[in-house]
Amino acid sequence: MRKFFIMAALSACSLSTLAQQSFDRVNIVSPEFNADGTVTFRYRNPKAVRVQVNSDCLPQALMENPFGKSEANVPVDMVEGPNGVWSLTTGVLESELYMYNFIVDGQKEVDLANKFMCRDGANWTNYFIVSKNNSDAGHYYSVNDTPHGNVSRVWYDSPTLGMTRRMTVYTPAGYDKNTKTKYPVLYLLHGGGGDEEAWGTLGRAAQILDNLIAEGKAQPMIVVMPNGNTNQIAYTEMAPDMNDYTKGERALAQAKADMETSFPDIIKYVESNYRTLKGAANRAICGLSMGGGHTFRTSLMYPDTFGYIGLFSAAATMVHTMDRNPHPDQLRSNEKFNADMKALFGAKPKLYFIGIGSTDFLYDLNKANRDYLDEKGYPYEYMETSGGHIWKNWRIYLTHFAQKLFKK
Amino acid sequence: MRKFFIMAALSACSLSTLAQQSFDRVNIVSPEFNADGTVTFRYRNPKAVRVQVNSDCLPQALMENPFGKSEANVPVDMVEGPNGVWSLTTGVLESELYMYNFIVDGQKEVDLANKFMCRDGANWTNYFIVSKNNSDAGHYYSVNDTPHGNVSRVWYDSPTLGMTRRMTVYTPAGYDKNTKTKYPVLYLLHGGGGDEEAWGTLGRAAQILDNLIAEGKAQPMIVVMPNGNTNQIAYTEMAPDMNDYTKGERALAQAKADMETSFPDIIKYVESNYRTLKGAANRAICGLSMGGGHTFRTSLMYPDTFGYIGLFSAAATMVHTMDRNPHPDQLRSNEKFNADMKALFGAKPKLYFIGIGSTDFLYDLNKANRDYLDEKGYPYEYMETSGGHIWKNWRIYLTHFAQKLFKK
């Protein structure tokens, strides 16, 4: 009895600290997975006038925005029921990882009845996974009953940037036990607004690799996820205490160099601290959006370094001179660029991959890049998916790209 | 120009995906740190009738709750200003890490204008740190300009529990470089409702150790933070996809054994995968609340294993027989318990520490434990702080305890 009493007290205390007023929220089931494959969202607020759900699992419309064509979610109204509980049931959902939040009288709120929440840059979002079998997208994004790799937040020296910086490193299951085994390395880069934790949360990198490796579809590999914002030691939560603006500025100082120039610092740390296989055949690099630009320019700057190169919805305009973004049509007259591209493809990378969504605002840019590659006769693999500049596409590209790497 | 255009687009896209409706929230500064040492919270909601702040930085009242005396925060009303922006300014705040959330018409909400948010069990909370100098509490809880240790999510085999489970491991700065150096180990246990990530978030374990070690106040050590819920492979977010109840039940299966019985699996993994110093003089164990009970019973079960033992607000009733929680007054007649305690203190642990808050609902339990130790003449160090069963106290105890460990 007393044991039960104490255990109940401990649990309740942990949950109730700072939450005394909100037990009612804890009792709401949201999202609820219905037997017919639909999902019901619920939100309790008797005083609200209008409550909506904003999610990529609901019907969407493409809207023009200041940045060109891009996905823009259209919130859907919830209906108020007894006790001020608003609800909305989706249609039957395909297998996927879905993001959502509520809009309460015009204000964004998260679903505190769902503890599955993560940070995408400065934006917090709830999420859930739908998986119907062992071969669909949701399956590869889930933690399944397979061996798991370890994920570490490690600090490395970057003399080029004058900082000790943090990055995320995935070591595959068995790395600890197979102490004689050496592994190839995938460098996986995030996009604008993201940081060294982006691929580990909405990107589901550890789950995708765990599952592909367990099923023999991908080689065991180390995955390195650095921070592409070269003015940060790590994502800004890792900046010193918020109210010390001096320290804060230190962490957000002007970058001393760009990602491409500082990239050798990352490779040096990885290859001297992990059991790695060397040579281009054992190194891959890919990235999304801004990270696709980093990937492109880094591979071009060090043409013998990476055997596998992946551009995901890349902000890459195929030049790494000081003037980074001339219109691709101008590149044909850029001698250094043409020479560098010739050197890159002269090194015969095993895979040069381009993935883009058909409504991505960077579609035209990537089309121009493909035209250039076609004109020069440089071989590449192209994957075009539906939708725009969204995580759904980047997970698809990683799942595909990872299976192509380091095959004997 | 085009470069700026693209970079702006990338950042905005990342922030605006799923947040189209809530840019107004992004423009609110909350919390704002004022020059006079106060903090202003802001929340925008023109339709709300009543908005309150619930925080441990605001005046509190002790309330009786079903579990006995415990901290219970009393929400404070915010005042509505122009454009439906509600605000509240605190008094001058002492150095500390503070937690808070909003109560909007009775519903708990988080502050999405503040990206500093973390999970405490199933409860999400915003937080901020106040630090005024380099020797106050906030200083030790902050990421300062010092060398940082790495923090890893590692999976270990627990044959006793029949699972591969996840835990968090901190390796001190320099561990990667000093490849000949071996380190002592602190086993740091969480409380009820928590998991293997609790000490790394609100517990600020990595920051506390980074700062104490950098200042020469603590020895470099490895810190191991296992999951004390022996029915979990890891915290429930790590359970398989939410909508597969079968898999979900696997992760929440009935435990095959308790934490104490399975503890050798943890030590075996740590000492065979990290460069560790062996022997009781190089092993410490401590825990909060439920983890204080785990600490007590584990140290008693393996009396020659730990040289340093710390009970933080411990749910420890000093017995590890099947009937775990008789009233302490009954223990004097428990021969096995008395023999085990004699063996434990016969091994002469270098430190036996008890910390408790003066209003903690476990205060009386710990008082009875101290009475027993006093009666037997078993030496221990006692720290009594103000307040109750709260993280503030557990950070204080860890900061103190860590400085006592492994001194030559």
Side-chain angles (χ1 to χ4, degrees), chain B residues 185-257:
Chain B
V185 182
L186 166 62
Y187 294 87
L188 181 61
L189 310 184
H190 65 81
D195 53 59
E196 75 278 10
E197 303 210 319
W199 269 110
T201 52
L202 290 173
R204 307 300 283 179
Q207 289 72 40
I208 291 169
L209 268 294
D210 277 355
N211 290 314
L212 290 176
I213 292 169
E215 296 173 14
K217 293 179 176 176
Q219 298 295 317
M221 66 185 80
I222 295 167
V223 182
V224 176
M225 294 162 268
N227 182 313
N229 311 307
T230 54
N231 61 345
Q232 292 182 339
I233 58 173
Y235 81 81
T236 52
E237 173 164 357
M238 291 299 296
D241 46 293
M242 290 169 73
N243 59 324
D244 185 330
Y245 298 108
T246 315
K247 291 181 182 175
E249 284 161 7
R250 176 182 64 79
L252 297 170
Q254 182 61 42
K256 291 184 177 176

Side-chain angles (χ1 to χ4, degrees), chain A residues 282-325:
Chain A
N282 298 300
R283 292 191 206 99
I285 184 170
C286 65
L288 72 93
S289 196
M290 176 183 83
H294 289 153
T295 294
F296 168 70
R297 292 184 296 269
T298 301
S299 65
L300 203 57
M301 196 177 289
Y302 316 101
D304 300 324
T305 304
F306 304 98
Y308 304 84
I309 299 154
L311 311 185
F312 303 170
S313 310
T317 50
M318 301 211 157
V319 65
H320 70 292
T321 58
M322 289 305 293
D323 172 20
R324 283 215 181 154
N325 297 297

Side-chain angles (χ1 to χ4, degrees), chain A residues 163-219:
Chain A
M163 293 178 178
T164 296
R165 312 185 68 222
R166 202 181 70 177
M167 61 183 169
T168 306
V169 178
Y170 166 92
T171 50
Y175 182 90
D176 289 348
K177 291 176 181 171
N178 311 325
T179 55
K180 294 280 180 292
T181 308
K182 294 183 175 182
Y183 297 82
V185 182
L186 166 62
Y187 295 86
L188 181 61
L189 311 183
H190 65 81
D195 52 60
E196 76 278 10
E197 304 210 318
W199 270 110
T201 52
L202 290 172
R204 307 300 284 181
Q207 290 72 40
I208 291 170
L209 270 295
D210 277 355
N211 290 315
L212 289 176
I213 292 169
E215 295 173 14
K217 294 179 176 176
Q219 298 295 316

Side-chain angles (χ1 to χ4, degrees), chain A residues 211-229:
Chain A
N211 290 315
L212 289 176
I213 292 169
E215 295 173 14
K217 294 179 176 176
Q219 298 295 316
M221 66 184 81
I222 295 168
V223 182
V224 176
M225 294 161 269
N227 182 313
N229 311 306

Side-chain angles (χ1 to χ4, degrees), chain A residues 233-385:
Chain A
I233 59 172
Y235 80 82
T236 52
E237 173 164 356
M238 290 301 296
D241 46 292
M242 291 171 72
N243 58 326
D244 185 331
Y245 298 108
T246 314
K247 291 181 181 175
E249 284 160 7
R250 176 182 64 78
L252 297 170
Q254 182 61 41
K256 291 184 178 176
D258 61 24
M259 190 63 175
E260 301 82 356
T261 307
S262 67
F263 214 87
D265 295 340
I266 296 171
I267 297 176
K268 180 183 178 185
Y269 175 84
V270 171
E271 298 196 350
S272 56
N273 284 279
Y274 294 88
R275 299 192 311 273
T276 56
L277 292 167
K278 308 296 192 291
N282 298 300
R283 292 191 206 99
I285 184 170
C286 65
L288 72 93
S289 196
M290 176 183 83
H294 289 153
T295 294
F296 168 70
R297 292 184 296 269
T298 301
S299 65
L300 203 57
M301 196 177 289
Y302 316 101
D304 300 324
T305 304
F306 304 98
Y308 304 84
I309 299 154
L311 311 185
F312 303 170
S313 310
T317 50
M318 301 211 157
V319 65
H320 70 292
T321 58
M322 289 305 293
D323 172 20
R324 283 215 181 154
N325 297 297
H327 188 285
D329 293 342
Q330 301 171 13
L331 302 183
R332 291 164 178 72
S333 63
N334 182 318
E335 290 184 9
K336 175 164 173 42
F337 171 72
N338 285 317
D340 289 345
M341 285 295 282
K342 190 172 182 180
L344 176 62
F345 282 90
K348 299 202 180 312
K350 293 171 180 289
L351 174 63
Y352 198 89
F353 173 86
I354 295 177
I356 188 82
S358 58
T359 59
D360 194 307
F361 74 102
L362 293 178
Y363 186 90
D364 295 342
L365 196 67
N366 279 264
K367 176 65 166 62
N369 292 341
R370 286 186 288 123
D371 292 343
Y372 176 85
L373 296 172
D374 291 336
E375 176 187 313
K376 295 291 186 178
Y378 295 143
Y380 64 95
E381 179 184 334
Y382 178 62
M383 174 183 281
E384 184 168 313
T385 51

Side-chain angles (χ1 to χ4, degrees), chain B residues 2 11 34 42 59 72 77 94 102 108 134 145 156 213 232 266 274 301 305 310 349 357 366 371 404:
Chain B
R2 187 175 173 83
S11 304
N34 305 311
R42 295 188 180 85
D77 283 298
E94 294 304 304
F102 297 131
K108 176 187 175 184
N134 288 341
D145 194 5
Y156 73 99
I213 292 169
Q232 292 182 339
I266 296 171
Y274 294 88
M301 196 177 289
T305 305
N366 278 264
D371 292 343
K404 298 275 190 164

